[in-house]
Amino acid sequence: MAFNAQWTPGPNAVAGMHINGSRMPPVGLVVYLDPDSLAILPPTDPMEWPGFVRLLHQLSDGCQDMAAFLENGAERTCPPG
């Protein structure tokens, strides 16, 4: 299932790993967007976890790149609109 979505986080948005207790998969990445939330859960089959780990690293890298871009004055490099 594929979908596209766009949210603008509110002032109380946070993100982090959430432990699901004894359920499988045991953890998930949760982004509380204030007021909406998004959970990214690993596949239930541990054999698929290496590919999911690769995706998590790509998400991390993309987040770091975006943060650095915004911190370094993106308004000077992007056209308005």
Side-chain angles (χ1 to χ4, degrees), residues 1-76:
M1 173 179 72
F3 71 96
N4 293 311
Q6 180 176 337
W7 290 277
T8 300
N12 296 314
V14 296
M17 185 180 79
H18 177 75
I19 298 175
N20 293 331
S22 61
R23 294 188 343 213
M24 285 302 280
V27 296
L29 174 65
V30 180
V31 182
Y32 298 100
L33 296 164
D34 182 33
D36 301 308
S37 63
L38 170 69
I40 301 174
L41 303 175
T44 55
D45 181 355
M47 296 298 291
E48 296 178 24
W49 289 359
F52 185 74
V53 167
R54 187 171 40 257
L55 172 64
L56 292 176
H57 286 294
Q58 290 171 348
L59 284 170
S60 175
D61 293 346
C63 288
Q64 289 177 5
D65 291 346
M66 185 176 182
F69 180 79
L70 294 172
E71 289 173 339
N72 290 319
E75 70 279 355
R76 293 189 304 265

